[in-house]
């Protein structure tokens, strides 16, 4: 089973799909602009936003 640290962080929340919709609290970020996915540079902007969020949320020593 899961270790004690996991239980302290997540309680008895099962890690199964769809995790986002199975939690009582969640954050959702729109990485791209709806309807603009065919524009030049769209995926570069999505990547930059995702990478920036990741760097801001997680510490380099976190196990992700």
């Amino acid at each position: 089973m899961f270790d004690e640290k996991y239980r302290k962080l997540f309680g008895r929340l099962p890690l199964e799909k769809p995790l986002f919709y199975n939690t009582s609290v969640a954050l959702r970020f729109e990485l791209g602009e709806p309807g603009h996915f065919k524009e030049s540079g769209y995926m570069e902007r999505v990547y930059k936003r995702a990478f920036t969020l990741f760097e801001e949320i997680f510490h380099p020593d976190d196990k992700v």
Side-chain angles (χ1 to χ4, degrees), residues 3-47:
D3 65 12
E4 190 61 31
K5 183 177 179 181
Y6 169 86
R7 289 187 191 282
K8 287 180 184 177
L9 291 172
F10 301 105
R12 296 198 177 271
L13 174 69
L15 294 180
E16 60 189 24
K17 294 179 183 178
L19 181 61
F20 180 83
Y21 297 104
N22 288 333
T23 62
S24 59
V25 178
L27 292 175
R28 183 175 179 151
F29 297 93
E30 186 69 49
L31 298 176
E33 300 168 44
H36 296 268
F37 60 91
K38 291 184 179 179
E39 291 181 5
S40 175
Y42 176 83
M43 288 308 297
E44 288 82 10
R45 291 190 304 272
V46 168
Y47 173 78

